[in-house]
Amino acid sequence: MNDTLPLATPLEDASDSDPLDDIEEASTRSFDLALHQSVYRFGRLYSVIHRDQHPWPIDELEQDRLEEQSILLCELFRGRLFLAPIESPRSVLDIKTGTGCWAIECADRHPASTVCGVDLVKMQHEWVPPNCEFFIDDICQPGWHTHYKDMEFIHISQIHGDRQLLSLLLEGSYSCCIPGGWVEICDMSVQLEESGENSPFHGFFRDIATAYARDGRQLNPPLHFGTELAQHGFVNVTAHSYLIPLCTEGCDQLMRGIVRNWAAGLEAYSLALMEKHLGKGYLETILLCASAREALRKGIKGVLQIQVVYGQKPGFN
């Protein structure tokens, strides 16, 4: 059943109230409902607000996948939530927080800290630790960072190939980070050894690359994270790369789990953009994803590269 909400609800009759208060209340209520407005497309639930900037589902299926991904990455990082050399940051900003699971875990592990999670869309948990809070904000606009100040650590993930957004986020992060504070970016990309092959996986990958490019996105921004951090004024920039074979035969359970989780998201990555830019319908894209996963199971030469890059704002002692 579609749980789409109206953008606004009628105001109750309150003849003694101040008209300006009524207008402000109506505006606030309308904005709050807009954050929760959603629509079913391709059998998946999408947020209506900022749908061009976030053309990915926000339903329970995707939330579960993202939360599993966060657990797998934490295991890959040997139990660490971040790799930057800071032990217990007092103020943390988690940008593109998604379900908020990373921010919640960070708040639980560091009860003396204040953790803020921010994203374009509403898919965060309602029950959070007392030192954790979530905000829905248009982080695609210059000046988004003015709401967040004096951060010791800023965590950024899942920019989905948008280098313009990455630049805005790093510009804002530099402004709201304290001198000596750290910014860390984590994301993943696929590197194929034989990109010219004609397997269903290679065909799907070429299609999604075309769709992303027409949407102003790229598939390999993680390779440029270090350069972007340095260009935005950060120093002590350090990169860590984890190469997970796409052909998981002989790999341990963790590597197989990471690839399986990533492959489970093929529909989420592609449905909206394939339709918008390539004219592919729901059934065609579903079949392409299924064929790509089958080819992946048979063995594809290449790696899923998980890139973690951090840098420090200068001005520290």
Side-chain angles (χ1 to χ4, degrees), residues 18-31:
D18 187 330
L20 292 179
D21 291 340
D22 289 345
I23 293 173
E24 182 177 358
E25 180 184 351
S27 176
T28 301
R29 186 185 307 166
S30 175
F31 180 70

Side-chain angles (χ1 to χ4, degrees), residues 139-157:
I139 54 177
C140 296
Q141 295 297 322
W144 66 266
H145 59 276
T146 56
H147 304 296
Y148 314 98
K149 298 179 181 179
D150 300 327
M151 296 293 168
E152 285 192 22
F153 179 62
I154 298 175
H155 178 259
I156 305 172
S157 60

